[in-house]
Amino acid sequence: MIGRTALVLGGGGFIGGHLTKRLKREGFWVRAVDLKFNPFAETPADDFLIGDLRDPYMCRHCVDRRFDEVYQLAADMGGAGYLFTGEHDAEVLHNSATINLNVLDVCHKRNVKRIFYSSSACIYPERNQLDPDNPNCAEESAYPAAPDSEYGWEKLFSERLYLAYARNFAIEARIARFHNVFGPEGAWRGGREKAPAAVCRKVAEAPDGGEIEIWGDGAQTRSFLYVDECLEGVTRLMRSDFAGPVNIGSQEMVSINQLAALVANIAGKRISIRHIKGPLGVRGRNSDNRLVRSRLGWAPERPLREGLEKTYAWIEAQLASSSANAGRD
Ligand code: NAD
């Protein structure tokens, strides 16, 4: 007999892959859906459908029953090198909006009661993130809206879409704004990787006393959230009576130069930084956890260093195995 059931859309991705594992550990029967399998880890999903959620017929096929929990994580996604150059704007808007329009329509028609949506800190207005030391990312600061990327605009549109379905139909939305989630089993090379993975890879590739490249002057600030903490927030929000949108992020803000120094320290290497031109995003960003603390009685607490140590070890192992494989070719 099947007990509690969950659907993880984007289950072949970084956060979706970790979420699938967590839900299996919690005893759920899990269906995951993605364009691809996770390239880094075997999925424990009971059912894994390879398919394109831009296709409404595929969506109907995926949501062929009522699930206890539906998590919508699928998006056309990447790091700054993918999202902030402007080269992929039309694809990002079209692909992610189409996925959300299709998913909500089918969930409504199939009588899904509750759906989680992964929004992003990229929805916050650029004007509040110009000072690297004092960014404002309080939830209510989202309006008047002025995200600095089309990725952020799509997330804001989709937040509104989920809230509108919740308002007009009997479907409950739970919306989180993630702030830079990182950890093992995520993109670490190829252009879609984000800052922590990119810095770990560069440091792992550099010799002791070597040099790595950082985009911009490295004084831009961010906070980074380890994936296990992110999932604790996601599942707490999903099972709470609070709809959000709410930040799920760390408040341990660092500059990119400090991030690089921390990774070099973890690696035990002396590394110098060369600053080069590159896509940057906003000047400063940090999670504001007052609302999540007050509504869920929880906020992530583990130090950045702890998550970086695990991520660095994983990326170092990936590099070692890819160079061993190259040696065999
Ligand atoms: P990811 O790219 O690893 O996962 C997204 C998955 O969606 C990918 O596996 C991709 O193949 C899948 N996908 C894309 N288009 C699809 C389609 N048409 N049909 C089916 N599957 C499709 O990204 P992630 O880091 O795991 O992020 C998960 C969610 O969280 C995304 O919505 C992302 O925008 C959001 N988010 C992530 C972060 C972060 O720092 N990782 C920050 C803010 C928001």
Side-chain angles (χ1 to χ4, degrees):
M1 198 190 84
I2 289 183
R4 288 178 302 166
T5 57
L7 177 65
V8 182
L9 303 170
F14 164 53
I15 301 174
H18 283 275
L19 178 61
T20 301
K21 284 189 200 169
R22 181 179 170 127
L23 292 169
K24 281 307 300 168
R25 284 198 301 273
E26 290 182 3
F28 279 80
W29 184 92
V30 182
R31 169 178 290 165
V33 182
D34 206 295
L35 290 169
K36 55 163 182 55
F37 288 109
N38 185 302
F40 308 117
E42 221 157 272
T43 179
D46 299 279
D47 188 23
F48 196 109
L49 301 182
I50 294 285
D52 191 335
L53 294 165
R54 289 170 300 183
D55 173 359
Y57 296 101
M58 178 63 199
C59 283
R60 260 192 239 177
H61 180 56
C62 298
V63 193
D64 62 354
R65 67 191 78 176
R66 258 170 70 174
F67 289 87
D68 295 308
E69 297 185 356
V70 174
Y71 295 89
Q72 199 323 66
L73 298 151
D76 196 356
M77 175 59 179
Y82 184 75
L83 295 178
F84 302 139
T85 58
E87 286 165 29
H88 307 283
D89 284 350
E91 289 162 275
V92 167
L93 283 167
H94 172 86
N95 292 341
S96 296
T98 306
I99 293 170
N100 286 310
L101 287 161
N102 285 343
V103 165
L104 265 170
D105 184 55
V106 74
C107 283
H108 161 53
K109 287 179 176 150
R110 296 274 198 231
N111 218 5
V112 166
K113 292 292 171 219
R114 189 172 285 201
I115 182 163
F116 171 88
Y117 175 57
S118 49
S119 182
S120 164
C122 290
I123 63 98
Y124 287 113
E126 190 175 15
R127 63 175 175 275
N128 291 337
Q129 302 173 88
L130 300 175
D131 176 356
D133 298 322
N134 291 297
N136 173 12
C137 292
E139 284 80 353
E140 71 275 8
S141 72
Y143 294 96
D148 71 326
S149 66
E150 301 301 351
Y151 170 74
W153 278 107
E154 189 283 324
K155 288 289 187 193
L156 202 56
F157 162 75
S158 289
E159 282 191 5
R160 299 187 70 91
L161 188 67
Y162 281 80
L163 292 171
Y165 268 72
R167 196 180 310 127
N168 295 160
F169 305 120
I171 187 165
E172 290 186 58
R174 296 288 178 269
I175 302 172
R177 293 175 180 159
F178 292 159
H179 289 245
N180 293 311
V181 184
F182 76 101
E185 298 172 9
W188 59 283
R189 63 177 170 188
R192 286 195 187 234
E193 68 277 19
K194 291 190 235 58
V199 169
C200 285
R201 186 199 67 237
K202 289 174 189 182
V203 169
E205 283 172 335
D208 188 21
E211 183 181 74
I212 65 166
E213 290 181 343
I214 295 281
W215 288 339
D217 64 5
Q220 65 273 28
T221 53
R222 293 292 185 276
S223 68
F224 300 98
L225 180 67
Y226 190 64
V227 63
D228 290 355
E229 294 223 82
C230 171
L231 295 184
E232 185 62 31
V234 167
T235 49
R236 280 179 188 244
L237 177 63
M238 183 62 155
R239 295 160 195 171
S240 77
D241 59 5
F242 179 46
V246 65
N247 291 327
I248 293 190
S250 159
Q251 288 194 143
E252 188 182 343
M253 188 172 79
V254 291
S255 70
I256 302 302
N257 287 334
Q258 286 169 327
L259 177 74
L262 194 51
V263 174
N265 183 273
I266 288 167
K269 292 182 183 177
R270 285 164 300 127
I271 297 286
S272 55
I273 296 173
R274 185 150 58 94
H275 295 108
I276 58 164
K277 267 179 100 107
L280 294 175
V282 293
R283 194 70 184 139
R285 176 171 289 155
N286 194 10
S287 188
D288 180 329
N289 289 344
R290 287 172 298 171
L291 185 64
V292 77
R293 255 185 232 290
S294 79
R295 297 306 300 259
L296 301 185
W298 171 88
E301 296 290 354
R302 306 302 305 162
L304 171 62
R305 185 182 178 102
E306 200 177 286
L308 277 179
E309 283 171 354
K310 294 180 196 163
T311 309
Y312 183 80
W314 181 79
I315 288 178
E316 207 180 23
Q318 297 299 302
L319 264 174
S321 75
S322 68
S323 52
N325 286 343
R328 271 201 292 276
D329 290 344

